[in-house]
Structures are given as C-alpha cells and as structure tokens.
Amino acid sequence: MRRRAAVASVIASAGVLIAGFQVGAAVTAARTPTTSGTGTSSGTGSTSGSGNSGGTSSGSTGSAGSTGAAKDGTFTGSTVQTPFGPMQVAAVISGGKITDVKILQRTNEGGRSIQISNQADPMLRSEVLQAQSAKVSTIGGATYTSQGYLQSLQAALDQAGFAG
C-alpha cells in the first residue's frame, strides 16, 4: 500500500510541475515581442527595458532619423549594469552592415549567470546579424542578459550612425 501511495505522490507532483512549466512558458511567450525575419527594419519598433538596468546605460532612443551612411569600424557600447553584473558589447560595422558583435563584458554574478550568458550571447549575436538591428527579441530565461546586451549594442550602433 505504501508503494502505491508513493507512486501516486510522484505522479501527482510531476503533473503539477508540468502544468506549472506550461503556464510559465505561455506567460513568457505572451510577454516576448516578436520580430519579422525579413532582415529589414522600418525604425518604428521600440525596445523597452524593465527599469532594472541602472548604471551607465546610454539611454539612447535610436537613430532612425539619421542621414548618411554608417561609419565602418568597431564601436564600443556602454557598460550596462544588470542584476547579475555588467554587460558590454562592441559592434563591428563594415560596408554599412553589422558584421560582428563582440562581447567585452558579460554578466558574471554566480555560476548560473555565467552559464546563461554563455548560452544567450551567441543566440543574440545571430539574431542581431540576421536582423541588422538591436531591435530583436530577448532570449527567454536570459532577460537581464538580453536587455543589457541589446542596450549596449544600441549605444554602439548610435556611435556608428547606424540606422538599422
């Protein structure tokens, strides 16, 4: 009889965990903005922060109204303070396109934060290179890292005069 009770408890607990995971995934999906895969940007979208990133963020509003071509070179973004440490990137611009995003500082508070950053950074880089913009979705489970990355990147793009 004890064995049945133990098995029933395990099954009930697993059911609660699965239901909770599905609800959490649905809430995260509802809160995460989507981007089109066309690679073009109209400059009308916006990225909003949660107000948790204080520090030395540039607070720029974008450069959709700029005229002229972006400068070629490597442009260092501002250091953005997140709850899990600083985040800073540099954008490499060549021929009017973002050709690379380099991590200069990544979140580093605790082992889990480092793991999350190590997983999210390449995904963000890929999205940015495809979209040619800092206006991409944050990575689920890496919200603070994503926001810091994208804010720092936007500051670097503003320095370059990049209108993407």
Side-chain angles (χ1 to χ4, degrees):
M1 193 65 167
R2 280 187 169 169
R3 185 174 275 166
R4 279 189 194 165
V7 169
S9 294
V10 169
I11 292 172
S13 294
V16 168
L17 288 173
I18 290 171
F21 176 77
Q22 290 177 341
V23 168
V27 169
T28 301
R31 290 183 182 172
T32 305
T34 59
T35 59
S36 64
T38 61
T40 60
S41 175
S42 64
T44 58
S46 66
T47 303
S48 61
S50 64
N52 292 329
S53 65
T56 59
S57 174
S58 69
S60 63
T61 58
S63 57
S66 68
T67 58
K71 298 177 265 182
D72 284 355
T74 300
F75 300 89
T76 301
S78 59
T79 301
V80 178
Q81 294 299 324
T82 75
F84 300 103
M87 189 72 191
Q88 184 180 30
V89 301
V92 180
I93 310 293
S94 180
K97 293 187 182 267
I98 304 170
T99 57
D100 196 9
V101 180
K102 297 180 180 185
I103 305 295
L104 302 178
Q105 292 184 64
R106 65 176 40 140
T107 57
N108 57 8
E109 296 293 323
R112 182 71 180 129
S113 174
I114 293 168
Q115 287 178 328
I116 289 170
S117 190
N118 286 339
Q119 289 178 338
D121 294 344
M123 294 164 55
L124 287 164
R125 179 184 177 275
S126 176
E127 289 291 320
V128 166
L129 293 178
Q130 181 179 357
Q132 289 294 298
S133 172
K135 295 176 180 82
V136 298
S137 298
T138 58
I139 304 298
T143 304
Y144 293 120
T145 297
S146 298
Q147 289 172 346
Y149 182 106
L150 296 173
Q151 286 177 15
S152 181
L153 176 62
Q154 186 62 57
L157 296 178
D158 289 346
Q159 285 181 28
F162 191 83

